[in-house]
Amino acid sequence: MEETEARCRVLSIQSHVVCGYVGNKAASFPLQVLGFEVDPVNSVQFSNHTGYAHWKGQMLNSDQLHELYEGLKLNNVNHYDYILTGYTRDASFLATVVDIVQELKQQNSDLVYVCDPVMGDKWNGEGSMYVPKDLLPVYRDKIVPVADIITPNQFEAELLTGRKIHTEKEALEVMDMLHAMGPETVVITSSDLQGSLGSDFLIALGSQRKTRADGTKVTQRIRMESPKVDADFVGTGDLFAAMLLAWTHKHPNNLKVACEKTVSAMQHVLQRTIKCAKAHAGKGNKPSPAQLELRMVQSKKDIENPEIIIKATEL
């Protein structure tokens, strides 16, 4: 391990569950396995994710987030290479995140902010938000402009730009609009676009806009098609954003390779999870939320060194 690699530090502000894998629980392990120091701030602490019949726990408010950050600052340990954020329900909490990002970027101009702008999704073609509506303007006007890498799904990309996506061409235009708002890397993690492999495959699109030394811009665009897995997984977006952070760090000028490794590792984890879940549920039974928890630890080797099973196409 090179010393620079070994000390690559990530501040990850996400939810925490005692049992299972979402938020920081889904992000920390893969990042650590891939050689990153992870400092997790737990925006909530719940017994388990909210897809279960019951959950209990506490939420961190914006003042408490500020207080934790002040503690890091007083000890002069608030030095980071990356910030990672995911699901948040509170607009004032998000505003404090913006303050922290801006302060850390002033300290380190090379700091990369990876943001999964979690706001909602589409079910049967209909989009709906599962966070309060007042989060949209904060993401659009405050968060996205300071982000470097964003991982919206199709619905979230549409919300952020105010444009609907019906074709790949429109998706590329939306990604260009998102680049213009700030981030140099945009990955639309899932869409309802039809690909060459048919409706059993999920299309993801990526776009990376780099500025050359002479000031000219060059854009790399890719498409990926992954087999759909018929199950309601939780924590997949958190795992995706964490692995994309890791692989774009290791392949800074090759979005194609970074996405192939990320999406291939995702597939390995999901296939292992569904196989185990079905075995535990028994023939003909629908797996429970507990049985569908991501098989993270069992997938350590796949996370560390994923066999490329999903190839990206350059557009």
Side-chain angles (χ1 to χ4, degrees):
M1 266 294 190
E2 297 164 31
E3 180 55 24
T4 51
E5 185 84 324
R7 292 300 296 157
C8 196
R9 296 187 66 207
V10 182
L11 180 66
S12 181
I13 305 173
Q14 299 197 61
S15 45
H16 170 79
V17 288
V18 177
C19 173
Y21 291 97
V22 301
N24 272 331
K25 280 284 288 288
S28 297
F29 179 74
L31 284 168
Q32 288 165 330
V33 158
L34 289 164
F36 294 78
E37 293 279 353
V38 184
D39 289 4
V41 173
N42 297 328
S43 56
V44 308
Q45 170 162 274
F46 284 176
S47 53
N48 44 267
H49 72 69
T50 57
Y52 285 75
H54 310 278
W55 72 92
K56 300 280 184 194
Q58 302 81 36
M59 291 167 83
L60 195 72
N61 64 33
S62 51
D63 292 340
Q64 292 165 325
L65 170 62
H66 179 74
E67 192 183 347
L68 287 172
Y69 180 70
E70 283 301 303
L72 297 172
K73 207 161 130 179
L74 288 168
N75 291 310
N76 192 27
V77 289
N78 60 331
H79 303 287
Y80 294 99
D81 304 286
Y82 285 89
I83 299 176
L84 175 62
T85 65
Y87 178 77
T88 306
R89 282 198 65 81
D90 181 61
S92 67
F93 189 91
L94 216 45
T96 304
V97 169
V98 176
D99 294 341
I100 292 171
V101 171
Q102 285 173 326
E103 185 170 315
L104 290 172
K105 281 196 166 201
Q106 274 171 341
Q107 245 174 241
N108 172 12
S109 59
D110 293 331
L111 180 132
V112 173
Y113 174 26
V114 180
C115 170
D116 184 4
V118 182
M119 289 183 283
D121 208 345
K122 291 193 174 191
W123 287 272
N124 308 321
E126 279 303 302
S128 70
M129 288 181 73
Y130 45 59
V131 300
K133 299 259 189 295
D134 63 348
L135 263 66
L136 174 55
V138 185
Y139 272 118
R140 186 186 59 221
D141 306 333
K142 303 258 171 51
I143 291 269
V144 172
V146 294
D148 302 284
I149 300 175
I150 57 169
T151 59
N153 58 32
Q154 178 182 331
F155 177 62
E156 290 157 349
E158 291 174 342
L159 285 176
L160 289 169
T161 57
R163 284 274 310 269
K164 286 267 186 275
I165 295 171
H166 308 96
T167 63
E168 189 174 282
K169 182 175 175 287
E170 288 176 339
L172 298 178
E173 286 165 5
V174 163
M175 290 199 288
D176 283 342
M177 289 171 77
L178 290 167
H179 284 311
M181 290 162 75
E184 76 166 25
T185 303
V186 177
V187 178
I188 296 179
T189 54
S190 63
S191 70
D192 46 24
L193 297 172
Q194 279 289 331
S196 57
L197 298 172
S199 59
D200 290 339
F201 285 78
L202 199 62
I203 300 245
L205 296 162
S207 179
Q208 189 166 55
R209 181 169 290 181
K210 290 279 187 186
T211 308
R212 289 201 186 99
D214 63 2
T216 57
K217 293 197 187 315
V218 54
T219 307
Q220 183 187 23
R221 293 196 172 112
I222 57 148
R223 176 182 62 226
M224 282 165 303
E225 302 187 37
S226 332
K228 286 180 184 171
V229 184
D230 183 29
D232 296 322
F233 296 109
V234 181
T236 49
D238 309 319
L239 174 60
F240 186 97
M243 291 196 298
L244 187 68
L245 183 163
W247 291 117
T248 50
H249 175 79
K250 292 171 195 285
H251 304 282
N253 298 309
N254 197 334
L255 184 64
K256 182 178 186 287
V257 171
C259 283
E260 285 175 345
K261 289 190 175 181
T262 301
V263 174
S264 293
M266 283 292 304
Q267 273 300 314
H268 291 301
V269 174
L270 295 183
Q271 297 298 346
R272 178 174 286 106
T273 302
I274 193 70
K275 195 177 151 195
C276 295
K278 282 180 169 168
H280 281 122
K283 214 172 170 61
N285 297 327
K286 194 177 178 221
S288 68
Q291 289 164 338
L292 284 170
E293 289 287 4
L294 298 176
R295 295 300 191 277
M296 196 75 75
V297 175
Q298 297 83 343
S299 303
K300 176 178 174 284
K301 286 194 174 76
D302 291 318
I303 292 167
E304 230 168 345
N305 189 14
E307 181 200 342
I308 305 298
I309 50 173
I310 308 284
K311 285 288 216 197
T313 309
E314 294 224 30
L315 302 173

